[in-house]
Amino acid sequence: MFKIKTNILPKTINMGFINYVTPWSHFERISDEYIMYIIKTGDLYLTVDKKNYHLKENDAIFIEKGLFHTGYKKAPCSYYYIHFEHANIANVNISNGKINDLMKDIRKRWISSSIWSTYNDEDSNIYIPTLCNIGNLCNDIFNLLDKALDIIFSKTEYYKLQISCIFNEILILYAKAYINSCIEDNENKNTYHTISNLIFFLNKNYSKNITIEIVEEITHFNYDYMNRLFKKNTNYTIMEYLTKIRIDTAKSLVASTSMKYYEIGQHVGYNNQYYFSRIFKKVTGMTISKYSKTHRYL
């Protein structure tokens, strides 16, 4: 398992795409930089540091610098390769029993974060394994890789910086794919996707009147049952999460706009100004006017 700080850009050294139609086996090598192989089609049989890996479609492998690797069996294969350096990457030892808990904690932390707040240094850390299937994120990752290769071929100004930014995004998606695999292996996939869809719906439609009936229509579950699942996976009930979205947005608008308080309330889904004021104080611990005096930066 590797921990990478994504607020520091990787330095891409080499990147490309290879398509072997006839059976092929990787040559022997020890690399001076980190390598990632991402399989698009076929099979790649690799021995890395005396351990055999059979890579299939949408599998990605992360190879630490200085490790001997070679092919151990011929097969047709097409794959992307990325060689890179990074100033802040560490090999961390996390027991299997704690990995799933860590991935769940990361997901819960990001779900509960405010869209309008800045992220801290810890939030820039991602965790990626040696081997992972990128699953339903494969098209996003393949599109980014193709975009990076087009930029390389164009060689316009700042192209190396652009490639590093794109690869940083690929690393983040790789880490997200791993979180997905950890959680979906231990949870019902339909349940997980239902919760994800509901989170998306709430963040997009928080200004609307969201009722129990609407939640049941969106999720196709009984509200009480869905509420228990939501709480288990996010640490919030559905209405607590909706309130958090609304008040976080209201705080941002109070701090950064000249909108009247009742206009802010209406914007985030509270048509009753007095009810909005009461909820705002309950969540933040201060009145809207007091919050405005201490936080407004216009």
Side-chain angles (χ1 to χ4, degrees):
M1 177 77 68
F2 298 90
K3 181 169 75 171
I4 302 176
K5 278 201 172 296
T6 54
N7 58 358
I8 300 173
L9 285 179
K11 293 182 179 179
T12 51
I13 297 170
N14 194 8
M15 178 184 290
F17 177 75
I18 293 179
N19 183 18
Y20 289 103
V21 178
T22 58
W24 168 85
S25 179
H26 201 287
F27 53 87
E28 295 183 357
R29 78 179 308 160
I30 297 177
S31 177
D32 293 330
E33 59 269 350
Y34 297 101
I35 302 176
M36 182 178 285
Y37 297 125
I38 304 175
I39 313 305
K40 191 166 188 180
T41 61
D43 301 88
L44 179 60
Y45 296 89
L46 272 182
T47 299
V48 181
D49 197 27
K50 300 180 181 180
K51 183 176 181 179
N52 289 344
Y53 295 91
H54 175 195
L55 306 178
K56 303 177 182 179
E57 183 177 318
N58 298 338
D59 280 343
I61 189 168
F62 185 92
I63 301 177
E64 195 172 2
K65 63 168 65 177
L67 293 186
F68 173 83
H69 63 280
T70 186
Y72 68 89
K73 183 179 178 180
K74 292 183 177 181
C77 180
S78 67
Y79 66 93
Y80 296 90
Y81 61 88
I82 308 100
H83 295 237
F84 70 99
E85 288 284 0
H86 201 286
N88 200 317
I89 183 171
N91 193 335
V92 293
N93 186 19
I94 304 174
S95 65
N96 290 334
K98 293 183 178 180
I99 288 176
N100 288 336
D101 290 338
L102 174 62
M103 297 301 110
K104 287 181 179 180
D105 287 343
I106 291 172
R107 172 151 290 172
K108 287 180 179 180
R109 187 171 75 246
W110 279 103
I111 286 173
S112 63
S113 66
S114 169
I115 294 174
W116 312 111
S117 64
T118 58
Y119 66 87
N120 57 41
D121 190 60
E122 176 62 25
D123 289 334
S124 72
N125 290 329
I126 62 171
Y127 295 85
I128 61 175
T130 298
L131 180 67
C132 180
N133 188 282
I134 56 178
N136 59 6
L137 293 176
C138 63
N139 287 334
D140 293 334
I141 291 176
F142 291 153
N143 288 338
L144 285 171
L145 285 163
D146 289 337
K147 179 180 178 180
L149 291 176
D150 286 344
I151 291 170
I152 290 173
F153 299 146
S154 69
K155 293 191 73 173
T156 56
E157 57 275 8
Y158 310 121
Y159 77 94
K160 291 186 178 181
L161 184 58
Q162 279 185 278
I163 295 164
S164 290
C165 290
I166 291 171
F167 181 55
N168 204 43
E169 185 175 356
I170 290 169
L171 288 172
I172 293 170
L173 289 177
Y174 182 52
K176 290 180 68 173
Y178 182 59
I179 292 175
N180 289 344
S181 68
C182 288
I183 293 176
E184 291 184 11
D185 283 347
N186 292 276
E187 301 282 349
N188 182 286
K189 287 188 178 183
N190 290 333
T191 298
Y192 163 72
H193 288 298
T194 300
I195 292 170
S196 296
N197 290 338
L198 180 56
I199 288 171
F200 177 84
F201 176 82
L202 295 174
N203 276 285
K204 187 176 181 180
N205 297 282
Y206 62 85
S207 62
K208 299 177 181 178
N209 181 28
I210 298 175
T211 64
I212 289 174
E213 291 74 20
I214 289 175
V215 171
E216 289 182 336
E217 183 180 347
I218 293 294
T219 63
H220 306 291
F221 281 113
N222 170 272
Y223 181 83
D224 291 335
Y225 175 71
M226 190 66 222
N227 208 29
R228 290 194 297 271
L229 290 178
F230 197 89
K231 174 80 171 180
K232 177 184 176 182
N233 284 273
T234 67
N235 291 335
Y236 293 93
T237 67
I238 294 170
M239 289 305 164
E240 285 173 346
Y241 187 72
L242 178 60
T243 298
K244 176 176 173 53
I245 298 169
R246 287 171 167 172
I247 298 305
D248 282 346
T249 305
K251 287 161 60 178
S252 176
L253 293 173
V254 169
S256 62
T257 75
S258 58
M259 293 173 66
K260 298 184 182 300
Y261 299 155
Y262 77 87
E263 292 176 327
I264 293 174
Q266 291 175 347
H267 181 81
V268 299
Y270 297 109
N271 292 321
N272 186 310
Q273 180 182 348
Y274 299 103
Y275 182 68
F276 168 54
S277 299
R278 190 161 70 249
I279 295 296
F280 190 96
K281 184 176 181 180
K282 179 181 178 181
V283 173
T284 66
M286 62 181 74
T287 64
I288 302 175
S289 58
K290 184 175 181 181
Y291 186 88
S292 175
K293 290 177 182 178
T294 56
H295 291 80
R296 184 165 292 220
Y297 48 80
L298 282 176

